[in-house]
Amino acid sequence: METDLVASSKGKLVNFRMKELKDVLTKLGLPKQGKKQDLVDRIFHQLSDEGVARIIDDTYRKMQISEAADLAIMGQSGLDICNVKVEMEAEDSLNLGGKIFCPCGTSLPSESKIQCVDPRCLVQQHISCVIIPEKPMEEIRLLPPLFFCETCRIKRADPFWITVAHLVSPMKLVASNIPTDGTNPLQKAEAAFHLTKAHSDLLQNTEYDVQAWCILLNDKVSFRMQWPLHAELQVNGLLVRTVNRPGTQLLGSNGRDDGALITLYIGEGVNQISLSGCDARNFCFGVRLVKRRTVAQVLSLVPKETAGEVFEDALTRVRRCFGGVATGNEDGDSDLEIIADSIIVNLRCPMSGSRIRVAGRFKPCVHTGCFDLETFVELNQRTRKASYSFILLFLSMFRIFKLIKVGKVSGCCSGNVPYA
Ligand SMILES: [Zn+2]
Ligand SMILES: [Zn+2]
Ligand SMILES: [Zn+2]
């Protein structure tokens, strides 16, 4: 029979990257070679041992801390460019550290709670309100390793907008009655909000807008907006468009919905807004005053090389991609050698088709492919396709070319070597 301990260890293991898996295997004195699945299987066989569970737990906690640090860096760099005082104050105004602030609208302290990991937020929410199992009736076995409240998720959902103020605090859509025939229930959220003179004056400036937003509470992609099926947004009695896809079509796993700009539908004083949808899933809806970021400002948010992958890790990754094999003893990557005689490095950006100027990559990517950072950001301003939460950082190709020069990697670089 599977104990709780084993079950929770398994849950943690599936979140591990190669690094964590190898850490665990090192501690267990087991070989670290093979594909990810082999490593997982090797640890699985040891799970009945309590000591192993403790090692997994330890490694898991370390991973959480390092991921939280990454995201904190991201949040921090976001601050650097909004040095206008009103924005700082507004961003801080939802700083409810340790307080209960839940989209259900109540602050009952009795239930079990979960805390947002954003160091500038730290609000607590009812687990039963915000942690939704994938299938209804399913039990929640494992809380997410990194929990972000919906306010912090929306803040990271679109780097082209800075939250200046929340005009309607996040609220859950509620179904008045659940149909017994299995069809999707009609869900609704309604609010009245007051637009102050100060905010109304800000809106005279075209950099500012008022945005209605919606997220799926248990979205696999944390940092994106998503509207319910058959979404109907009404502002002061007028219908506002939310999505371009048909009301019956689900958002794909790589898609992103945009917020609805409602500035033209509202005025100083009291405004009415409502959102309804025909959907069985759990959504959270809100309205915020936002300020637009330029492409240059978004580019400045991308963490610099120094905040990213350490050089040794990058080297190991590149060597692995270029056919490096482990030789000799089983411990450590120090024995990885480059066995290829020549390596062709493609410097063409897959998006623009031109040569990469500043090479960007997603932090979790284990390959060597890069794209032109500026092209990527510009393209996304228009199409909103990619997930920004992952442009965390990058080790520039420059470093790899330095390696080529010192002869650690031999290769011809399909023509020109930039930066050399
Ligand atoms: Zn709640
Ligand atoms: Zn938060
Ligand atoms: Zn990759």
Side-chain angles (χ1 to χ4, degrees):
M1 207 191 75
E2 191 175 274
T3 64
D4 282 356
L5 196 64
V6 170
S8 102
S9 296
K10 276 188 180 167
K12 286 167 189 160
L13 265 183
V14 296
N15 284 306
F16 280 5
R17 301 163 295 193
M18 287 301 272
K19 180 180 177 307
E20 283 78 30
L21 293 170
K22 286 189 167 181
D23 281 356
V24 172
L25 287 167
T26 306
K27 288 191 182 131
L28 295 175
L30 293 169
K32 300 183 293 182
Q33 286 154 323
K35 295 211 179 75
K36 190 169 180 185
Q37 195 52 49
D38 301 335
L39 272 52
V40 171
D41 290 345
R42 215 166 291 152
I43 301 172
F44 258 48
H45 287 304
Q46 314 288 326
L47 275 185
S48 49
D49 188 328
E50 221 175 280
V52 177
R54 215 172 307 122
I55 291 173
I56 290 175
D57 195 53
D58 230 44
T59 312
Y60 186 68
R61 214 166 317 123
K62 268 188 221 147
M63 180 176 85
Q64 279 183 292
I65 293 168
S66 86
E67 285 185 0
D70 279 352
L71 287 153
I73 288 169
M74 209 172 119
Q76 220 64 55
S77 56
L79 259 186
D80 294 341
I81 61 158
C82 45
N83 43 16
V84 182
K85 199 150 176 284
V86 56
E87 287 168 5
M88 297 282 290
E89 281 170 356
E91 287 245 331
D92 285 343
S93 70
L94 266 183
N95 191 335
L96 299 159
K99 293 210 186 75
I100 300 171
F101 187 73
C102 188
C104 70
T106 70
S107 51
L108 289 174
S110 54
E111 272 184 84
S112 44
K113 294 175 294 283
I114 187 165
Q115 187 168 44
C116 174
V117 295
D118 186 316
R120 288 188 293 143
C121 171
L122 302 176
V123 306
Q124 300 205 25
Q125 302 190 321
H126 307 120
I127 290 178
S128 61
C129 295
V130 291
I131 307 295
I132 319 281
E134 219 161 295
K135 298 186 198 92
M137 313 312 287
E138 195 177 76
E139 218 185 309
I140 308 232
R141 278 204 137 168
L142 195 73
L143 294 174
L146 290 170
F147 171 75
F148 285 90
C149 74
E150 61 294 323
T151 307
C152 292
R153 283 169 61 187
I154 202 71
K155 196 160 94 184
R156 292 169 167 80
D158 186 343
F160 286 97
W161 295 113
I162 306 167
T163 304
V164 178
H166 292 276
L167 303 181
V168 173
S169 296
M171 57 200 288
K172 273 178 96 163
L173 266 70
V174 193
S176 41
N177 58 340
I178 310 285
T180 46
D181 59 357
T183 55
N184 286 340
L186 180 72
Q187 300 191 46
K188 202 167 179 176
E190 254 178 311
F193 64 95
H194 191 262
L195 187 71
T196 62
K197 169 94 173 63
H199 285 162
S200 170
D201 287 347
L202 275 182
L203 290 172
Q204 300 302 311
N205 183 330
T206 52
E207 283 183 305
Y208 290 86
D209 253 310
V210 174
Q211 182 196 59
W213 57 266
C214 190
I215 55 171
L216 175 64
L217 276 175
N218 59 347
D219 199 331
K220 279 218 171 72
V221 183
S222 288
F223 305 120
R224 70 170 175 188
M225 294 182 213
Q226 180 165 179
W227 295 93
L229 296 174
H230 301 284
E232 207 177 281
L233 178 67
Q234 283 208 25
V235 183
N236 292 326
L238 294 167
L239 219 54
V240 182
R241 194 185 183 98
T242 50
V243 288
N244 289 320
R245 66 196 141 87
T248 48
Q249 192 186 322
L250 287 165
L251 180 65
S253 57
N254 292 320
R256 310 184 78 72
D257 276 344
D258 232 340
L261 296 179
I262 58 168
T263 313
L264 294 175
Y265 299 83
I266 62 172
E268 200 183 319
V270 177
N271 295 277
Q272 299 286 339
I273 190 161
S274 72
L275 172 69
S276 67
C278 236
D279 205 310
R281 299 167 299 165
N282 288 267
F283 291 88
C284 189
F285 167 69
V287 177
R288 58 178 186 156
L289 178 66
V290 285
K291 186 179 184 210
R292 198 184 303 270
R293 276 191 185 121
T294 62
V295 169
Q297 285 170 328
V298 171
L299 274 171
S300 76
L301 293 179
V302 177
K304 298 290 169 284
E305 203 179 316
T306 45
E309 190 178 33
V310 281
F311 181 64
E312 284 66 33
D313 289 353
L315 185 56
T316 307
R317 178 170 54 81
V318 171
R319 280 175 167 166
R320 189 168 285 129
C321 291
F322 287 143
V325 290
T327 57
N329 75 56
E330 287 158 350
D331 290 307
D333 298 321
S334 52
D335 300 306
L336 289 175
E337 299 282 351
I338 296 291
I339 53 164
D341 287 334
S342 73
I343 297 150
I344 296 178
V345 180
N346 191 352
L347 300 177
R348 195 178 290 282
C349 169
M351 285 173 252
S352 67
S354 321
R355 209 178 72 186
I356 294 172
R357 278 166 298 170
V358 177
R361 59 178 283 269
F362 298 116
K363 195 176 179 188
C365 174
V366 295
H367 309 111
T368 53
C370 297
F371 47 82
D372 184 67
L373 192 60
E374 220 165 297
T375 306
F376 174 79
V377 173
E378 271 165 16
L379 214 68
N380 276 281
Q381 187 191 32
R382 281 176 276 139
T383 63
R384 299 295 154 87
K385 276 270 155 55
S387 166
Y388 272 92
S389 44
F390 285 119
I391 335 183
L392 274 176
L393 142 291
F394 163 67
L395 169 101
S396 74
M397 287 298 266
F398 170 66
R399 287 274 187 99
I400 298 169
F401 290 115
K402 266 210 242 159
L403 286 179
I404 294 169
K405 283 180 79 185
V406 298
K408 283 194 185 158
V409 177
S410 59
C412 87
C413 305
S414 60
N416 305 312
V417 179
Y419 313 110

